[in-house]
Amino acid sequence: MVPMDDSKDALVSQLSMAIRDISGYPECRNASKKMYNNLVRRVKLLSPLFEELKDSEGELDDEEVRGFVSLKIALDSARELLRSINEGSKLFQALQMDKIAGDFQQVTEQIEEAMSRIPYDKLDISEEVREQIELVHAQFKRAKGRRDSPDLLLEMDLSIAQKDIDIDPSILKRLSEKLHLRTMNDLRKESLAIRDMAISCGEDLGDSIQTMSFLLQKLKDVVIGNPDKDTSEPEKELIKHRSPVIPDDFRQGKCGDKKSGPSGSDCDRAAINALIDKLADGNLDQQRAAAGELRLLAKRNSDNRVFIAEAGAIPLLVELLSSVDSRTQEHAVTALLNLSIHEANKGNIVNSGAIPDIVDVLKNGSMEARENAAATLFSLSVVDENKVAIGAAGAIPILIDLLCHGTPRGKKDAATAIFNLSIYQGNKVRAVRAGIVGPLMRLLRDSGGGMVDEALAILAILASHQEGKVAIGQAEPIPVLVEVIRTGSPRNRENAAAVLWSLCTGDVQYLRIVIELGGEEALKELSENGTERAKRKAGSVLELLQRVDVIQRP
């Protein structure tokens, strides 16, 4: 359905909302995982386009409006498909994988065709964003022409499991893991999803409801011995005799003799529950030790990151960010860093109000805590809306301080966080006004300091903004940029050329300096032998040099 109001602001706002909704969907945990996650990842990459369009003052012409309306319709289709996958029956999706793969293919084609109608070269956006959107378009174009390979083992296991025979328990265990039907709570949700399908679809599902119910019953036999914290009290009473007893002084690595015990994950799960009790009710020493254990468990594997979050640790760890004990604070922020690796946990951390407390640790914590706070902000900023929240919380000036005064590791953590945050236009302004250009230029000129790569990458992204361009130009950057173009690594030469192009566009004085320094030869060589982006940027600067007749060549 075409939006009722086709004005620029309304249309851009609707597209932004569609992308934000899709980006906010939780991580997929069923047989459609790969297709689902690929679609979400590609759609997320469209966000910077609409962030810049929000800030631009120009109107959209008829061709641009038609292209964006088509994209809005395609994104609505994607949003509905992802919602149905996220909320629907996992068993039904596994049994209908061919059809679902076709649905994902259709949505991918719809988005690619809509993107083909958008004239990016006419939009009021930066070169970097245009290049990113062109890359995303290329990804959709490639994805349009191919389907993901079917999971043959999953298909075989499903086929065997549907037979009314004694089935090898390992097959059911594998199905339980692949479909993420691992706990009684998972099975309850699946049962409700099947019931809802039966009510809404009725006879249209044919024998599917009976098949799914049959499989669900078989999976219960596997799951009954693996309860989690979400299991109801009556169910716990039925199965508690199967649960391992963990001593109060349990610590990582003390699962006991292999002949007696549970698997590593079961052992970790029991430990996690015990540790969270100490986080909530223990004294300072117990909280410090528990946070340290959770930090290590969250680092160990992805299952633990899920277990720890599901068990309710995140709000408790956020509270400990304000601890007066520096070691407890270090453990808490590092545990949150490790938990944030799991995509779904990022939202839980932010929703627990963590960002202001992490920024406070970044400002006032020990050096280790500051480093890990910077790394946590980087991890959270992968989600676009978090870039806005982190910038608004005042993180950028404090990150710049760490960039200037931190350890080598701290400087790199700060730089990666600043780079990622600065993808959002508003944070570019914050970084420039907080005085980032001077420190970046010092790092760039210190070739032995190990931060040239990071400094150039941030300068390249800041130079796409007018305030960033002005501030960089005032720092007399041309000599060092020309030197990097002559002698730097391929990626650094590319970024140096991008900064140089931004500076030289519309400014004769910088072109004159390039010529005085003999930069033309270096640019010609880069235009022939650099990366594809470096070739384009170098070629563009050379064109500017050739067009300016007022320059007196030596």
Side-chain angles (χ1 to χ4, degrees):
M1 183 175 179
V2 177
M4 294 178 65
D5 182 355
D6 285 338
S7 70
K8 175 201 160 187
D9 289 345
L11 187 52
V12 169
S13 177
Q14 289 170 4
L15 284 159
S16 294
M17 186 175 298
I19 292 170
R20 187 160 54 248
D21 288 349
I22 290 170
S23 301
Y25 277 129
E27 184 179 14
C28 182
R29 300 174 69 185
N30 57 40
S32 306
K33 178 177 181 177
K34 186 174 181 182
M35 295 180 291
Y36 177 107
N37 290 342
N38 281 341
L39 180 57
V40 170
R41 175 179 54 79
R42 292 178 187 126
V43 170
K44 276 184 179 181
L45 293 172
L46 295 173
S47 182
L49 170 61
F50 299 103
E51 289 296 337
E52 288 212 350
L53 286 175
K54 281 181 185 177
D55 295 336
S56 70
E57 297 179 357
E59 289 298 320
L60 301 176
D61 64 22
D62 289 346
E63 181 185 11
E64 292 163 345
V65 168
R66 284 194 296 270
F68 283 133
V69 167
S70 297
L71 183 58
K72 169 68 167 55
I73 293 169
L75 290 178
D76 285 343
S77 298
R79 183 163 48 182
E80 179 57 28
L81 174 59
L82 293 167
R83 185 199 60 77
S84 68
I85 295 295
N86 189 51
E87 298 176 3
S89 160
K90 297 177 179 180
L91 282 168
F92 182 75
Q93 291 170 36
L95 293 167
Q96 299 286 325
M97 278 309 297
D98 280 348
K99 178 184 181 302
I100 288 171
D103 292 340
F104 273 99
Q105 192 68 19
Q106 185 175 353
V107 164
T108 298
E109 291 174 3
Q110 197 176 357
I111 294 174
E112 192 281 324
E113 288 169 8
M115 293 186 72
S116 297
R117 298 176 187 151
I118 298 171
Y120 306 114
D121 56 329
K122 294 168 61 178
L123 296 175
D124 182 18
I125 55 177
S126 67
E127 180 74 10
E128 284 72 21
V129 169
R130 182 177 292 108
E131 289 178 353
Q132 176 171 326
I133 299 305
E134 288 171 351
L135 286 172
V136 177
H137 187 191
Q139 289 180 14
F140 274 107
K141 192 173 291 188
R142 286 195 299 272
K144 185 177 74 169
R146 65 170 187 265
R147 278 197 186 190
D148 290 321
S149 301
D151 188 334
L152 297 178
L153 181 59
L154 175 60
E155 291 181 1
M156 190 187 321
D157 286 347
L158 280 169
S159 177
I160 294 171
Q162 290 176 61
K163 301 183 187 304
D164 193 9
I165 57 174
D166 288 334
I167 300 169
D168 184 344
S170 66
I171 292 176
L172 292 173
K173 178 67 173 174
R174 197 158 56 224
L175 278 175
S176 172
E177 291 295 321
K178 284 205 169 189
L179 298 179
H180 287 269
L181 295 172
R182 298 168 172 165
T183 68
M184 291 302 296
N185 192 46
D186 292 337
L187 293 178
R188 281 200 304 278
K189 291 178 181 177
E190 178 67 13
S191 180
L192 288 172
I194 293 172
R195 186 199 66 183
D196 290 345
M197 288 180 65
I199 293 171
S200 61
C201 300
E203 296 180 358
D204 292 343
L205 291 177
D207 296 330
S208 295
I209 295 293
Q210 185 175 349
T211 300
M212 288 186 284
S213 299
F214 178 75
L215 289 171
L216 190 63
Q217 186 58 49
K218 291 199 170 187
L219 288 173
K220 277 187 180 179
D221 295 335
V222 174
V223 172
I224 196 71
N226 186 29
D228 71 354
K229 75 174 189 72
D230 293 319
T231 305
S232 66
E233 287 303 321
E235 289 167 337
K236 285 180 179 176
E237 287 299 314
L238 286 172
I239 59 181
K240 68 180 180 180
H241 64 283
R242 300 192 184 190
S243 302
V245 178
I246 305 297
D248 286 341
D249 62 349
F250 177 91
R251 286 293 180 267
Q252 184 180 353
K254 296 184 180 178
C255 288
D257 185 73
K258 284 186 179 179
K259 294 180 182 177
S260 61
S263 69
S265 291
D266 289 339
C267 202
D268 288 349
R269 185 190 289 264
I272 286 163
N273 288 329
L275 292 168
I276 288 173
D277 288 342
K278 291 179 180 176
L279 276 191
D281 301 319
N283 60 35
L284 183 60
D285 289 340
Q286 290 173 324
Q287 288 180 327
R288 184 194 307 115
E293 287 291 323
L294 288 170
R295 166 184 179 172
L296 295 174
L297 287 165
K299 184 177 181 180
R300 183 188 292 177
N301 59 52
S302 58
D303 279 347
N304 283 353
R305 291 188 273 274
V306 174
F307 295 161
I308 290 169
E310 288 180 346
I314 287 174
L316 297 172
L317 290 168
V318 170
E319 286 183 21
L320 291 182
L321 293 174
S322 304
S323 173
V324 295
D325 180 71
S326 62
R327 193 64 178 153
T328 301
Q329 193 180 68
E330 288 170 14
H331 287 328
V333 76
T334 310
L336 289 170
L337 168 61
N338 294 336
L339 289 171
S340 73
I341 296 169
H342 183 66
E343 193 69 22
N345 287 346
K346 296 183 197 298
N348 291 334
I349 292 169
V350 172
N351 292 337
S352 296
I355 288 177
D357 290 322
I358 295 171
V359 172
D360 189 63
V361 173
L362 179 69
K363 182 177 183 180
N364 300 311
S366 67
M367 184 52 70
E368 180 182 344
R370 294 183 70 197
E371 291 168 356
N372 290 333
T376 306
L377 293 177
F378 165 72
S379 179
L380 296 176
S381 69
V382 170
V383 180
D384 283 333
E385 53 264 38
N386 293 347
K387 292 180 175 67
V388 182
I390 293 167
I396 290 175
I398 309 169
L399 286 166
I400 294 171
D401 181 75
L402 184 62
L403 182 69
C404 294
H405 303 114
T407 64
R409 177 191 159 191
K411 289 180 178 181
K412 286 191 179 288
D413 287 332
T416 53
I418 292 167
F419 174 85
N420 215 43
L421 289 170
S422 296
I423 292 172
Y424 170 62
Q425 283 286 87
N427 287 337
K428 293 178 188 177
V429 177
R430 289 190 173 104
V432 171
R433 293 179 182 176
I436 194 173
V437 171
L440 290 177
M441 292 305 302
R442 287 194 292 273
L443 293 172
L444 181 55
R445 293 185 175 109
D446 180 14
S447 58
M451 292 290 294
V452 171
D453 296 6
E454 291 84 355
L456 267 173
I458 298 171
L459 285 168
I461 204 166
L462 295 178
S464 65
H465 193 281
Q466 182 60 27
E467 284 195 40
K469 174 178 171 178
V470 170
I472 294 168
Q474 291 171 346
E476 301 182 351
I478 305 299
V480 68
L481 292 175
V482 170
E483 183 60 25
V484 172
I485 289 171
R486 282 199 186 101
T487 63
S489 67
R491 178 52 57 88
N492 286 347
R493 297 177 79 198
E494 173 186 312
N495 283 327
V499 177
L500 191 63
W501 176 80
S502 292
L503 294 174
C504 289
T505 303
D507 204 318
V508 174
Q509 63 168 321
Y510 297 124
L511 293 169
R512 184 178 293 114
I513 297 171
V514 171
I515 292 173
E516 290 172 354
L517 293 170
E520 281 180 290
E521 287 304 315
L523 287 164
K524 286 177 183 175
E525 193 276 330
L526 184 60
S527 70
E528 296 170 359
N529 300 311
T531 65
E532 287 304 312
R533 181 168 178 251
K535 288 178 182 178
R536 290 198 303 273
K537 295 297 185 184
S540 297
V541 178
L542 288 170
E543 286 180 12
L544 292 174
L545 291 171
Q546 292 164 5
R547 290 178 193 165
V548 180
D549 296 328
V550 297
I551 294 178
Q552 298 297 316
R553 296 179 179 272

